[in-house]
Amino acid sequence: MILVTGGTGLVGSHLLYKLVSNDASIRAIYRRAHKLESVKKVFAYYTDEVETLFNKIEWIESNINDIPSLELAFTNITRVYHCAAFISFEPNKYKELRKINIKGTANIVNLSISNNIEKLCYISSIAAIGHEPHQDTLITEKTEWNPEADNSVYAITKYGAEMEVWRGTQEGLDAIIVNPGIILGPGFWNNGGSGSLFKQIHKGLKYYPKGTSAYIDVWDVVDIMFSLMTSDIKNERYILIAENLPFKTFQDKVAKALHVNPPKKVATSFLLAIAWRLDWLSSALFGKRRKLSKQMVNSISSKTVFDNSKLKRDLDFNFTPIDVSITKVSNYYLEDIKKLK
């Protein structure tokens, strides 16, 4: 039986759809019952047999820091896809990020070892990969993490989680780590991920940052995870990106697919420096949630280029063009907002 953590998220819900479509025996963890509707919503994009497929999954209420319920979840499990994570770039969320991303992953690793799990797949992020001093140098799986750099709290905790997985491999656990870029997929328009980017662009953005990032289709992520888990490959990590694109190019493409005007003004370093300080002040004075941090500004203002050649070589994988992904996700978004009118 396969265990999936984070099954109610973007990657987890798409992974569950793939697994049930392949008649796998699956158990999935959920924290809140209302989140299960997110899974059904994703299934509905791809099939009319939503309830039939959904009911093939054995759901168990738990979280990755609840050891007693986790121990029950691991009963008769042979393989684990660990997709659960807390995604936030707010500096004041550091303790919560550590608890979920690092401590929670340590719990999954420990139970995988004690239950003789055949293989673990951990979904990390390109945020947990080091950066090259020269912006045109390709970042690979071997690029070293610099703990002295001004890393975001999210990046620090995802890197810490990876260390727990590598620790597990030293104790006999076979594992795979995947480091996807920004994952493009439908259904999660309000959760701060790529879906919210589509929503913001549709509503209208005035500014675009001058940096770059890397993108990948959610189905590519799921297919790669599945292929790696069913292969003989073990104790390796892979950068999962289809294309490196400037934020302006990405936003222009999404705006075109959504039939709206793209942002016209560049968010200069000076403007962003003022913005993150005002954001900090607003949080300090009025308790508002942080929307922009110094580290986030540095990230969206920087050029980084990631190398996907290791994955291409080892799996002979052809990535979905980002134009195709943008068109698909945009169409799903437009369909969803029509239903709300």
Side-chain angles (χ1 to χ4, degrees):
M1 178 175 272
I2 296 169
L3 177 66
V4 177
T5 74
T8 58
L10 174 63
V11 174
S13 57
H14 282 81
L15 175 62
L16 287 173
Y17 181 79
K18 181 175 181 68
L19 292 174
V20 294
S21 298
N22 282 273
D23 294 321
S25 179
I26 308 162
R27 181 178 295 142
I29 292 171
Y30 73 94
R31 289 190 303 128
R32 301 186 185 95
H34 74 274
K35 292 287 187 180
L36 296 175
E37 293 303 314
S38 300
V39 181
K40 293 182 180 180
K41 180 178 180 180
V42 167
F43 281 22
Y45 289 129
Y46 310 114
T47 181
D48 293 327
E49 302 295 325
V50 173
E51 292 296 331
T52 300
L53 291 177
F54 181 85
N55 290 332
K56 289 183 177 181
I57 302 166
E58 180 186 331
W59 290 96
I60 182 166
E61 186 176 0
S62 178
N63 70 69
I64 57 176
N65 281 300
D66 180 357
I67 302 299
S69 64
L70 267 186
E71 288 175 336
L72 291 175
F74 267 82
T75 304
N76 298 322
I77 294 297
T78 56
R79 298 193 175 200
V80 177
Y81 289 90
H82 180 29
C83 307
F86 178 39
I87 302 174
S88 175
F89 296 89
E90 300 174 72
N92 61 343
K93 300 291 186 182
Y94 181 59
K95 289 185 178 179
E96 188 175 357
L97 283 158
R98 283 191 62 88
K99 180 180 179 182
I100 297 172
N101 294 344
I102 300 178
K103 184 181 176 182
T105 298
N107 293 334
I108 296 297
V109 168
N110 293 338
L111 285 168
S112 294
I113 294 169
S114 62
N115 285 275
N116 298 312
I117 297 302
E118 295 173 2
K119 205 171 187 179
L120 166 72
C121 180
Y122 174 59
I123 181 163
S124 184
S125 167
I126 56 171
I129 299 203
H131 290 273
E132 294 289 348
H134 302 292
Q135 64 179 14
D136 292 317
T137 302
L138 283 174
I139 296 170
T140 74
E141 289 82 357
K142 294 183 178 180
T143 302
E144 292 187 7
W145 170 268
N146 180 7
E148 302 302 321
D150 191 14
N151 300 298
S152 71
V153 288
Y154 174 67
I156 291 168
T157 59
K158 292 299 278 187
Y159 176 79
E162 288 190 10
M163 292 303 100
E164 292 296 336
V165 177
W166 293 132
R167 186 259 304 171
T169 65
Q170 296 300 307
E171 297 179 28
L173 175 65
D174 289 345
I176 290 290
I177 294 176
V178 293
N179 297 84
I182 296 175
I183 302 170
L184 307 182
F188 295 82
W189 313 119
N190 302 304
N191 292 38
S194 67
S196 64
L197 289 175
F198 284 79
K199 182 177 180 179
Q200 290 169 16
I201 292 169
H202 185 255
K203 291 177 69 175
L205 285 177
K206 292 182 179 179
Y207 295 91
Y208 63 87
K210 57 185 180 181
T212 66
S213 194
Y215 303 84
I216 184 169
D217 190 277
V218 67
W219 280 112
D220 283 357
V221 175
V222 166
D223 288 344
I224 290 167
M225 291 169 66
F226 183 83
S227 295
L228 289 170
M229 284 288 275
T230 53
S231 74
D232 294 328
I233 298 170
K234 62 181 182 180
N235 303 343
E236 297 281 355
R237 76 187 302 192
Y238 291 93
I239 291 173
L240 307 189
I241 67 108
E243 296 177 44
N244 297 284
L245 290 174
F247 284 106
K248 183 180 190 307
T249 302
F250 174 77
Q251 292 179 350
D252 285 351
K253 289 177 180 291
V254 173
K256 182 178 180 180
L258 293 174
H259 314 298
V260 296
N261 293 323
K264 301 290 187 181
K265 300 178 181 178
V266 62
T268 64
S269 298
F270 177 74
L271 185 63
L272 288 170
I274 294 174
W276 79 256
R277 286 173 170 84
L278 289 175
D279 184 70
W280 171 85
L281 186 62
S282 176
S283 176
L285 293 178
F286 307 111
K288 293 185 177 181
R289 291 191 61 174
R290 295 290 301 275
K291 295 180 180 179
L292 199 61
S293 67
K294 178 184 176 183
Q295 294 78 17
M296 187 184 296
V297 165
N298 290 338
S299 177
I300 64 176
S301 301
S302 303
K303 179 182 178 181
T304 51
V305 283
F306 292 87
D307 181 15
N308 62 10
S309 61
K310 180 181 177 183
L311 190 281
K312 283 183 173 180
R313 182 191 69 228
D314 288 2
L315 283 189
D316 191 26
F317 190 84
N318 293 314
F319 288 92
T320 302
I322 290 304
D323 282 352
V324 173
S325 301
I326 287 173
T327 298
K328 285 193 306 180
V329 177
S330 296
N331 288 339
Y332 284 127
Y333 175 77
L334 292 173
E335 289 174 11
D336 280 353
I337 61 173
K338 276 184 183 178
K339 295 174 185 176
L340 296 175
K341 291 180 178 179

